[in-house]
Amino acid sequence: MGLGRKDLLTIRDLSAENIRLILDTAESMKEVASRDIKKVPALRGKTLINLFYEPSTRTRTSFEIAGKWLSADVINVAAFASAVAKGESLKDTGLTLQAMRPDIVVVRHPAAGAADLLAKQLAASVINAGDGAHEHPTQALLDLFTIREKKGRLEGLKAAIVGDIAHSRVARSNIYAMEKVGMEVRVAGPATMLPRFIDRLGVAVYTDLERAIADVDVIMMLRLQLERQQAGLFPSLREYSRLFGLTVERLKAARSDALIMHPGPINRGVEIAPEVADGPYSLILNQVENGVAVRMALLYLLVGAAQAG
Amino acid sequence: MRILIAGGRVIDPTSGLDEVLDLLIEDGRIVRIGRGLAAAKVQAAKRGRSEKGAKSGSSDVAVDRVMDATGLVVCPGLIDMHVHLRQPGREDKETIATGTLAAARGGFTAVCCMPNTDPVNDTRSVTEFIRDTAKREGVVQVYPVGAISKGLKGEELAEIGELFEAGCVAISDDGRPVMDAELMRRAMEYASMFDLPVIAHCEELRLSGSGVVHEGVVATELGMRGIPSVSEAAMVARDLLLAELTGARLHIAHVSAAESVRLIRDAKSRGVRVSCEASPHHFTLTEEAARGFNTRAKMNPPLRAESDRQALIEGLRDGTIDAIATDHAPHTVQEKEQEFDLAPFGVVGLETALALTLTTLVAPGLLSLNQAIARLTSEPARVLKLPKGRIVEGGDADLTIFDLNREWRVNASEFASKSRNTPFDGWQLKGQAVATLVGGKVVWEA
Amino acid sequence: MGTDLNEKAQILDQVGIQRAVTRIAHEIVERNKGIDGLVLIGLRSRGVDLARRIARDLNIIGGVEVPVGALDATLYRDDLGKVGPQPVVRKTEIPFSINEKRVILVDDVLYTGRTIRAALDSLIDLGRPRLIQLAVLVDRGHREVPIRADYVGKNVPTSRQEQVQVLLAEEDGVDKVVVVNA
């Protein structure tokens, strides 16, 4: 049983069995959130370090709460503001941390492969909380959990991921995760934001939003990443939202019970209209809530393996 | 100093020679090529010892050393026309001394060093520094390549006439492309006054963007930014047309994309004076080598798709690609042990080039041994108009003796180079240099 | 599951289990002087089935439906993160308040007592019961912590090389308690 590995760096490392185990465990963890005393001693005495090289409220807080509810000691290192800014290499940061013997290091970094680099160096379990445009595995897991919670199953469902696919680690992880559990995946966005060879990942490719969302069970909108944007991939926010923004009007092309998801933070009025984001089928807040439960499940499942391995 | 190399399979691509012969070397030149020289020498030695004071002709004088080359190949000294020796400026990565030792270990007797040093080789004083250092500390011949533009900035022409007089054999801004087409045109016109080839690093920087690997399947799967083939090919197309216009001699460095090979083949058929080179890592590996974020497989231009690799091999076979050159680019361990995005581009290649050529191309019959040797000797010599790359009586005794069949395992920690950044560490290869002679002197042997 | 070659002895058969459960139900009523304020909380997973059976008997005796909850104490175990992959966590489902209630904790086998210790810690975090009593179908001895059961179906002395398996129709298709080689 267990995940049989020290780290979680990519969704591709997990089998469908592993994913199921994480989701089932997350259900049990979710119950803890409903208690008066939101604490269980499962990770008592363990140290978790959040090593974030990019600012983040959502993910970092989610991991922090997950660790604390499991009674772990949680340390937040805002690497983008500290020694690293003085030029300390990732490798040296890793060695420094190793000397403090953490049990789990959660890392978010702008370079693809950064989590892999750290995992090779550290005896601790390393969890990839986002490395460049590569992967964000815990996001995909909580997305699957949210879908399964609402629909009761995953296999056979159809999902459409819309937005800047080329630069999106959320898209990549979700594509891999959804395919692993037997979902059908479509991607849609401006041609300039669809990477070449994306079809080799087994997805259907669209540049027309309404065609992409027709008949799907889940619509996942991606944030238009203004900060990571290379200039010149689209002419203006206005044109982007006109063509790819999910409005109530556009939604009519989809099934009436299609679930709306977004990894956040949302650009209201750009990729998603406020009425849709706040509408009855929107699972955006559920995703946030489930993020804690899924991360608790992951922390719980990884800890034993780190010592045994 | 007289050396006899006996019983080796002597291959000289230019003359088509491929025979078991003996070579007699004296005062840095090849004085005799023939059969049975070894026996005659042994006889003469015996006679010389037994008949004190007996008169002997020059062909009967004993030699200082006999090298037994039975079962080995003897070919003209290998020439690597694309090497970064890093001195002056980055002696932590490599020096002329260590780089040329690495060359000798790999069977090379001559290297061309690129101008992207610090300071840049854009003036006579830097060229002379390189040549003087090479004379004092170099193990093999060093031919400097001068800059096209001052400081490699791509803005103004460097003093190419002065560089030519100081001893540069070509000009290049390698490391960087000349983005300004007008400047490249003028550089070609100017260089042709001295019959200097212009070595072009072809890359459209804006198409490359902040890419770090080939824009292909691996980049898409791993979320890494890609450098599309068209970034190289578009610039190749531009430079071919400029060469056609100016009549200059153009040499395209490190060709990596099928589209580039296609364009060069077409230009050659129309009579454009273009030559080009490909590196062992490009004809051996593909983008797959970068999986796992392996920075030892990160270089520019990047390793591309299998179809590109096949196109390079086809180009080497039909002569579209004239030379094999390593683009030996040393980097320190610290620099390569970083996030993939941050690690510098480049891999070393001097100590594995011959073996990779033999293992990847000759052994499976893709290239004949003769062709392969030509790509490493007579062809680079021809492009650079150097009096090298030949085995001929009266010619320089720059020779490589290698064992076609010796199997060995690449161990980067044993490299003579200061740097270890190779994607081939641990590989089993077949074929290895056993002795390297420069100017009739054995500068390295196994 | 079912009969296998490792089975050394059968301790209880279907009738035996039924009698034990009924007796425990009567003892609970007697000790607590009635059914008022009683709740049954079974430990996952066979403890839950037993708790439901006890509730049914209590209903027959006193005509009152006693609430039944399911507790998973895995997250309170003292051997987490120590060796090998983590044990599977199942859901705790206690859809009622335990404050001021008389909680009857129900488990199938009482052995070292560590599971019950974890369950007690878990219960304390969930509320403040008036009192907690423990009912087990089998007590096999070898306690490692000072825990004792208030209600025991059968005492079965065992050696450490043995294992006591409780099979219940709800999960295993048959009712019996056997001793097997570990």
Side-chain angles (χ1 to χ4, degrees), chain A residues 90-205:
Chain A
L90 181 60
K91 182 181 170 193
D92 282 331
T93 304
L95 290 174
T96 310
L97 285 182
Q98 178 62 35
M100 293 191 257
R101 319 261 203 124
D103 299 279
I104 303 179
V105 176
V106 176
V107 60
R108 168 171 286 193
H109 194 287
D116 287 64
L117 237 187
L118 272 183
K120 284 196 187 96
Q121 272 190 292
L122 300 177
S125 288
V126 174
I127 298 180
N128 181 8
D131 60 336
H134 178 218
E135 285 220 34
H136 190 356
T138 57
Q139 179 71 42
L141 289 168
L142 74 88
D143 287 339
L144 286 187
F145 182 86
T146 308
I147 296 170
R148 191 174 88 160
E149 196 180 38
K150 272 284 173 276
K151 291 282 189 187
R153 66 180 169 117
L154 289 170
E155 194 172 344
L157 294 180
K158 287 203 199 62
I161 306 177
V162 183
D164 183 0
I165 308 288
H167 297 96
S168 171
R169 52 192 173 214
V170 171
R172 225 170 300 271
S173 285
N174 266 298
I175 289 171
Y176 294 137
M178 287 177 177
E179 288 183 341
K180 221 161 253 220
V181 296
M183 288 174 66
E184 202 189 289
V185 186
R186 303 175 181 181
V187 295
T192 47
M193 293 185 189
L194 294 170
R196 286 169 68 202
F197 308 104
I198 189 75
D199 53 306
R200 304 264 197 103
L201 267 48
V203 301
V205 184

Side-chain angles (χ1 to χ4, degrees), chain B residues 70-93:
Chain B
T70 318
L72 303 174
V73 174
V74 181
C75 68
L78 308 183
I79 300 170
D80 190 342
M81 57 183 295
H82 192 147
V83 173
H84 295 271
L85 291 178
R86 304 294 189 212
Q87 187 175 22
R90 285 307 301 262
E91 288 84 350
D92 54 329
K93 303 193 203 210

